[in-house]
Amino acid sequence: MKINFIDLQAQYRAYKEEIDSEVLEVFSSAQFIGGEKLNKLENSLAEYTGAKHAIGCSSGTDALLLALMALDIQAGDEVITTPFTFIATAEVIAFLGAKSVFVDIDSQTYNIDPAKIEDAITERTKVIMPVSLYGQCADMDAINAIAKKYKLTVIEDACQSFGADYKGKKSCNLSTIGCTSFFPSKPLGAYGDGGAIFTSDDELAEKMRMLLNHGQNERYKHKYIGINGRLDAVQAAILNVKLKHFDDEVVAREEIGSRYSDLLEDADVITPKIAEGNTSVYAQYSIRVKDREAMVTKLSDEGVPTAVHYPVPLHLQEAFKGLGYKVGDFPISEEVSEQIMSLPMSPYLTEKEQDFIIQAIKGE
Ligand SMILES: *Cc1c(COP(=O)(O)O)cnc(C)c1O
């Protein structure tokens, strides 16, 4: 059996007629940047999350960058975040000359541990940037409470968690700013790069809209130094179709995720723990195993693709050598990064495929 890690072709086949027709409309209108498709998407995204403003942008990375730029983060400022994430989270901090201050993760959810945040706060701290990893929100209430106490701003890196619930609210609408990604393999994926920024703060929304369009407030009048961070109309048109079907996909993801966990109950692996009040959109279904190399090889021999998110925590990356961290600084992140591996996951994974994967995991 040949199994895809994520089956994007099956998804395209499911919505092909709608997507083709939406995209062709963009082609014939020749409105490639901005316009009606983007406005419609932004309104739908705001409605979906409950945030007052949703702003389409060029990627999840740029969403995070724009959020930090809007808060005027600059050289010397410190941003508290997790070392157990994709590099983009800390990359944008460094890009602005600011400093990432890492805090270790919770051993159950793999998200930043709020109990360890206060120790990392200094007079230079400006922002706390939790990541809602693998599709499950970080403990945003606890994080927001700390931020309030120290007058800091919270940006949720929701690049993997669009659609997830946290105590009855939606990811992306849990802090001052939320940022998500529409990279093709994310839960809500475009057919190229894309992202969105969410806020209910009118001033920040207006500023971020300007920043992603070269800081322009009127044509060729520039109030800020910005970037070209726009989302194009073709991606918006595709996302409009996919968003319509997204809730069904979230349900399918949850069913597949819980079925994995049920079937793996008696296997020698650690399955994902979803905290009370949370749902997960399972951007990744990741398990922990004692001997990862052996498991990856065993599955690969059976034709089951896997991936590792992420093998090296950020504090041990060469690119962040300058931050001065060393092995042992964040023991939970280090242990998890040695044991974690992700199994095939998409709303189109069939029970037959899933049974085959489970068999391969349990087999001798
Ligand atoms: C994917 C991802 C990003 C970056 O999003 P892009 O759209 O690829 O730029 C940032 N943070 C996390 C946690 C991600 O998973």
Side-chain angles (χ1 to χ4, degrees):
M1 190 180 280
K2 157 121 178 43
I3 293 173
N4 293 302
F5 188 67
I6 299 179
D7 200 345
L8 291 177
Q9 285 164 325
Q11 191 195 44
Y12 175 56
R13 284 194 298 273
Y15 315 139
K16 183 174 183 333
E17 269 175 43
E18 284 174 275
I19 289 179
D20 289 359
S21 123
E22 277 288 306
V23 165
L24 288 174
E25 270 182 36
V26 177
F27 290 172
S28 30
S29 76
Q31 174 77 61
F32 297 118
I33 304 284
E36 180 207 325
K37 303 284 184 205
L38 180 61
N39 294 341
K40 180 176 170 198
L41 176 69
E42 290 181 336
N43 290 334
S44 312
L45 289 172
E47 193 182 338
Y48 185 88
T49 56
K52 188 167 174 198
H53 306 278
I55 305 165
C57 68
S58 40
S59 69
T61 306
D62 287 339
L64 295 166
L65 177 66
L66 289 158
L68 291 172
M69 287 170 76
L71 297 170
D72 225 7
I73 297 308
Q74 27 189 297
D77 292 339
E78 293 180 0
V79 177
I80 291 177
T81 189
T82 161
F84 191 60
T85 177
F86 180 58
I87 190 158
T89 313
E91 206 173 27
V92 292
I93 299 168
F95 197 72
L96 294 173
K99 183 177 160 192
S100 291
V101 174
F102 295 125
V103 166
D104 211 356
I105 54 171
D106 174 82
S107 63
Q108 304 293 302
T109 63
Y110 313 136
N111 285 325
I112 194 167
D113 184 349
K116 295 178 184 150
I117 290 178
E118 284 197 69
D119 280 347
I121 294 174
T122 73
E123 59 203 16
R124 297 184 159 181
T125 309
K126 294 279 160 62
V127 169
I128 308 175
M129 194 146 83
V131 177
S132 297
L133 200 71
Y134 301 153
Q136 168 174 215
C137 290
D139 189 356
M140 298 301 288
D141 279 357
I143 295 164
N144 284 326
I146 298 165
K148 192 168 173 207
K149 180 169 164 194
Y150 292 90
K151 297 196 168 54
L152 308 173
T153 306
V154 179
I155 300 173
E156 183 195 10
D157 179 343
C159 286
Q160 300 185 6
S161 60
F162 183 82
D165 291 328
Y166 175 85
K167 300 184 183 172
K169 285 181 83 179
K170 285 283 177 210
S171 178
C172 300
N173 183 31
L174 302 172
S175 58
T176 302
I177 304 177
C179 299
T180 201
S181 165
F182 302 130
F183 185 77
S185 61
K186 307 281 171 156
L188 180 61
Y191 285 0
D193 280 304
I197 320 168
F198 300 82
T199 187
S200 293
D201 181 310
D202 296 340
E203 271 175 49
L204 282 174
E206 197 191 357
K207 188 170 178 188
M208 291 189 288
R209 277 194 188 283
M210 284 186 227
L211 287 171
L212 67 79
N213 196 20
H214 300 291
Q216 204 164 236
N217 48 1
E218 273 175 67
R219 197 156 176 79
Y220 303 128
K221 301 266 176 68
H222 304 271
K223 181 166 173 170
Y224 305 108
I225 303 289
I227 62 171
N228 172 357
R230 297 177 297 249
L231 180 68
D232 67 69
V234 171
Q235 300 309 332
I238 292 162
L239 288 164
N240 280 327
V241 175
K242 289 231 218 161
L243 188 55
K244 266 203 303 197
H245 300 284
F246 186 63
D247 274 336
D248 291 339
E249 292 201 347
V250 169
V251 169
R253 281 176 177 281
E254 278 191 281
E255 281 170 4
I256 292 165
S258 350
R259 189 159 184 271
Y260 260 135
S261 296
D262 289 346
L263 295 172
L264 286 171
E265 212 167 40
D266 57 351
D268 191 18
V269 306
I270 299 175
T271 54
K273 303 283 181 294
I274 308 304
E276 211 182 305
N278 273 2
T279 63
S280 178
V281 290
Y282 290 108
Q284 309 297 343
Y285 184 90
S286 302
I287 59 172
R288 278 163 75 183
V289 293
K290 283 195 202 83
D291 187 347
R292 180 171 62 200
E293 210 182 299
M295 184 64 87
V296 167
T297 309
K298 185 163 88 164
L299 293 189
S300 160
D301 287 348
E302 298 288 332
V304 177
T306 57
V308 174
H309 306 94
Y310 297 92
V312 181
L314 298 189
H315 67 289
L316 302 179
Q317 294 282 354
E318 191 177 351
F320 288 121
K321 237 180 5 208
L323 292 173
Y325 290 111
K326 57 182 188 316
V327 175
D329 283 345
F330 305 105
I332 301 172
S333 298
E334 289 168 28
E335 186 183 353
V336 175
S337 65
E338 278 165 19
Q339 300 178 339
I340 203 84
M341 60 183 283
S342 304
L343 302 179
M345 171 49 97
S346 82
Y348 298 88
L349 192 75
T350 64
E351 287 198 358
K352 234 172 105 188
E353 289 173 317
Q354 201 174 19
D355 292 341
F356 184 83
I357 295 163
I358 299 291
Q359 199 82 62
I361 293 171
K362 291 182 179 173
E364 283 310 310

